């Protein structure tokens, strides 16, 4: 039987076998704890360690630093399996982004120090860009990293940081030269254990993604070795962030696709089983047309994303094409979960039906990873370069 979740151009037998092992892992280790972690607002640290031991966290990291040396398509399999069970609480996508910042930008010494611990799950990764005063306008960050001898001294605060409660390793976006605008931004790695002056704030309550810890972080004269400047040159942070964003946005787009598939399949099950006016809900033309639209959009999105995945692997994925995928896929996800919830009737609004969780979780996809307005801005900038 065709597997609708792992139905992609790049899927091989190896990916399918990998998907089987992820599915078993999530079924054995995640699902039994799902309700407890939802209530706690955070996924247990022990689960991260188990995922690390399974090789899931470092699947696409080089073998010499504790990874499995696989392509990033294997990480996509993990995200698609996560979508199959309608989970968004385990912040593995952010952990993966952090890991790839290190793979792409860190010095060999930094890789040796940090990657094995990120791959094993000893550390959960977070990236701290957003501040109470600025989100979309990244150049306006006010957190500073003041050089002092062999150390940087961090001061400032961040908010909405995914994995903020669990993180043992945080990439902090800070100004090493506050007067230099975007050219004054650097990425500083903070190893949180025992870091004096570092404080985690509240685990913020949210509309959806209830299991995911999203936090404030505070830095008050936090001392970090100069050797924790990612890369070996100050002021490169803005460009470093831009290089990695296409992967982050492609990942979010595949997650949108996975969530749409999950909503579609739940709705097929529900509308086939439930009856009104002497027939199945599925037999009303409205239901059939709505689901025909959803099915079409899922196919169209999958085709576009697979093309972008090939471009990512070839090193040619551009910022504007990743931005196109991010805004369109997440808006399609929003339309889909709304349509599918409607077809569930009142049951769709009940927490015990998965579609209600899919609905609540979908909303933020249009906001983080760069808002969809900023995505349109990036695409719009490319219009002027179009030859006619
Ligand atoms: C659940 C969750 C998890 C998150 N995880 C992280 C994380 O791990 N790390 C991290 O650093 N951040 C994280 N964020 C923060 C997220 O990236 C920001 O919320 C987002 O970038 C928007 O910033 P803002 O909230 O300050 O909104 P603002 O920038 O204040 O934007 C408000 C509105 O104005 C619009 N706007 C802004 N500028 C323009 C423009 N130039 N043109 C048109 N419209 C514009 C926006 O699109 C938006 O609609 C997370 C957020 C959430 C909700």
């Amino acid at each position: 039987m065709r597997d609708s979740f792992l139905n992609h151009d790049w899927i091989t037998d190896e990916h399918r076998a990998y998907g089987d092992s992820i599915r078993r892992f999530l079924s054995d280790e995640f699902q039994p704890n799902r309700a407890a972690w939802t209530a706690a607002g955070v996924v247990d640290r022990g689960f991260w360690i188990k995922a690390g031991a399974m090789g899931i966290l470092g699947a696409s990291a080089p073998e010499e630093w504790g990874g499995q040396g696989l392509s990033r398509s294997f990480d996509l399999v993990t995200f698609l399996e996560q979508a199959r069970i309608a989970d968004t609480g385990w912040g593995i996508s952010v952990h993966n982004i952090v890991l790839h910042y290190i793979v792409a930008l860190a010095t060999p010494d930094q890789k040796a120090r940090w990657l094995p611990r990120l791959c094993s799950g000893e550390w959960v990764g977070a990236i701290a860009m957003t501040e109470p005063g600025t989100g979309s306008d990244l150049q306006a960050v006010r957190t500073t990293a003041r050089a002092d001898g062999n150390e940087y001294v961090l001061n400032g605060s961040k908010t909405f940081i995914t994995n903020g409660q669990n993180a043992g390793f945080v990439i902090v976006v800070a100004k090493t030269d506050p007067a230099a605008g975007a050219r004054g931004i650097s990425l500083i790695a903070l190893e949180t254990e025992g870091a004096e002056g570092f404080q985690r704030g509240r685990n913020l309550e949210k509309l959806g993604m209830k299991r995911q810890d999203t936090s404030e972080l505070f830095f008050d004269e936090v001392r970090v070795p100069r050797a924790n400047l990612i890369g070996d040159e100050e002021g490169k942070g803005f460009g470093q962030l831009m290089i990695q964003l296409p992967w982050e946005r492609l990942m979010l787009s595949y997650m949108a696709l996975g969530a749409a598939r999950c909503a579609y399949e739940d709705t097929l099950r529900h509308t086939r089983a439930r009856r009104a006016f002497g027939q199945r809900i599925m037999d009303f033309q409205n239901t059939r047309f709505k689901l025909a639209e959803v099915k079409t959009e899922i196919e169209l999105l999958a085709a576009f994303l697979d093309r972008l995945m090939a471009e990512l692997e070839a090193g040619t994925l551009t910022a504007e094409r990743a931005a196109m995928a991010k805004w369109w896929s997440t808006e399609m996800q929003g339309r889909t979960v709304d349509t599918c919830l409607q077809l569930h009737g009142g049951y769709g609004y009940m927490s015990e039906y998965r579609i209600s969780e899919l609905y609540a979780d979908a909303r933020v996809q249009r906001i983080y990873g760069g808002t969809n307005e900023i995505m349109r801005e990036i695409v719009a900038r490319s219009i002027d370069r179009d030859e006619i």
Side-chain angles (χ1 to χ4, degrees), residues 107 109-110 113-114 150 152 224-231:
T107 64
D109 171 61
Q110 292 172 336
R113 282 200 287 141
W114 298 330
N150 278 336
Y152 286 111
V224 174
R226 294 276 293 248
N228 282 21
L229 170 73
I230 296 178

Side-chain angles (χ1 to χ4, degrees), residues 94 126-137 159-163 206 209 212 214 364 367-374 377:
V94 170
I127 177 146
M129 296 180 263
T130 307
E131 302 186 351
T134 192
S136 303
D137 185 7
T159 192
F160 304 153
I161 306 308
T162 302
N163 297 336
K206 307 186 287 298
M209 297 192 159
Q212 195 169 103
T214 308
V364 75
I367 296 170
Y368 59 22
T371 67
N372 282 9
E373 291 72 36
I374 298 295
E377 184 59 39

Side-chain angles (χ1 to χ4, degrees), residues 9-10 90 93 112 116-117 122 138 146 176 183 196 205 221 277-278 291 296 311 319 337:
D9 292 350
W10 43 265
W90 181 29
S93 53
R117 288 159 136 182
E122 181 186 338
L138 198 57
R146 187 182 77 244
T176 37
R183 280 191 296 275
E196 237 172 84
E205 287 197 19
E221 293 285 298
F277 300 97
L291 288 174
T296 305
E311 291 171 16
V337 294

Side-chain angles (χ1 to χ4, degrees), residues 252-253 255-257 259-260 294 297-298 301 323-339 359 362-368 370-377:
L252 290 176
S253 304
M255 287 160 60
L257 175 64
V294 167
E297 289 200 316
I298 287 173
L301 178 59
M324 285 175 194
K326 197 272 174 178
W327 81 255
W328 197 86
S329 64
T330 56
E331 290 182 15
M332 176 271 204
Q333 177 186 3
R335 278 195 298 282
T336 300
V337 294
D338 188 56
T339 298
Y359 182 85
R363 189 60 186 85
V364 75
Q365 287 262 88
R366 285 143 66 185
I367 296 170
Y368 59 22
T371 67
N372 282 9
E373 291 72 36
I374 298 295
M375 295 305 100
R376 285 175 169 83
E377 184 59 39

Side-chain angles (χ1 to χ4, degrees), residues 279-297:
Q279 57 180 338
R280 303 181 313 164
I281 302 291
M282 172 59 89
D283 295 328
F284 294 112
Q285 190 186 52
N286 176 65
T287 307
R288 301 181 72 74
F289 279 13
K290 291 287 182 204
L291 288 174
E293 287 171 17
V294 167
K295 183 174 179 171
T296 305
E297 289 200 316

Side-chain angles (χ1 to χ4, degrees), residues 78-337:
T78 303
F79 307 142
L80 291 170
E81 289 299 340
Q82 198 182 7
R84 194 197 293 274
I85 60 164
D87 174 56
T88 54
W90 181 29
I92 185 182
S93 53
V94 170
H95 183 86
N96 182 279
I97 291 164
V98 169
L99 186 126
H100 277 288
Y101 273 111
I102 304 307
V103 170
L105 305 168
T107 64
D109 171 61
Q110 292 172 336
K111 288 179 189 177
R113 282 200 287 141
W114 298 330
L115 283 174
R117 288 159 136 182
L118 288 167
C119 291
S120 70
E122 181 186 338
W123 281 343
V124 173
I127 177 146
M129 296 180 263
T130 307
E131 302 186 351
T134 192
S136 303
D137 185 7
L138 198 57
Q139 300 187 32
V141 293
R142 295 178 64 182
T143 298
T144 52
R146 187 182 77 244
D148 183 21
N150 278 336
E151 294 176 319
Y152 286 111
V153 185
L154 289 173
N155 279 293
S157 61
K158 300 285 179 179
T159 192
F160 304 153
I161 306 308
T162 302
N163 297 336
Q165 294 293 312
N166 266 335
F169 183 83
V170 183
I171 298 179
V172 183
V173 178
K175 289 257 170 82
T176 37
D177 182 355
R183 280 191 296 275
I185 292 178
S186 301
L187 306 185
I188 312 281
L190 173 70
E191 300 166 29
T192 63
E193 200 182 328
E196 237 172 84
F198 168 68
Q199 241 193 328
R200 300 173 210 269
R202 293 173 296 157
N203 187 6
L204 300 164
E205 287 197 19
K206 307 186 287 298
L207 172 68
M209 297 192 159
K210 299 284 192 188
R211 287 175 292 282
Q212 195 169 103
D213 49 318
T214 308
S215 302
E216 303 165 345
L217 301 178
F218 301 102
F219 312 91
D220 178 15
E221 293 285 298
V222 182
R223 293 197 162 262
V224 174
R226 294 276 293 248
N228 282 21
L229 170 73
I230 296 178
D232 45 18
E233 214 182 321
E234 277 183 11
K236 297 284 177 200
F238 197 74
Q240 289 172 326
L241 289 169
M242 296 305 127
I243 292 168
Q244 288 301 305
L245 285 174
W247 166 237
E248 176 176 354
R249 290 173 182 157
L250 183 58
M251 184 191 290
L252 290 176
S253 304
Y254 270 102
M255 287 160 60
L257 175 64
R261 282 173 173 153
C262 190
Y264 174 71
E265 295 196 358
D266 275 9
T267 309
L268 286 188
R269 274 188 283 276
H270 187 80
T271 56
R272 282 175 184 166
R274 189 162 172 86
R275 298 179 72 82
F277 300 97
Q279 57 180 338
R280 303 181 313 164
I281 302 291
M282 172 59 89
D283 295 328
F284 294 112
Q285 190 186 52
N286 176 65
T287 307
R288 301 181 72 74
F289 279 13
K290 291 287 182 204
L291 288 174
E293 287 171 17
V294 167
K295 183 174 179 171
T296 305
E297 289 200 316
I298 287 173
E299 288 286 333
L300 290 173
L301 178 59
F304 183 50
L305 295 188
D306 286 351
R307 202 161 158 181
L308 297 197
M309 186 57 194
E311 291 171 16
L312 179 93
E313 300 254 314
T316 58
L317 179 60
T318 61
E320 64 259 21
R321 284 171 71 74
M324 285 175 194
K326 197 272 174 178
W327 81 255
W328 197 86
S329 64
T330 56
E331 290 182 15
M332 176 271 204
Q333 177 186 3
R335 278 195 298 282
T336 300
V337 294

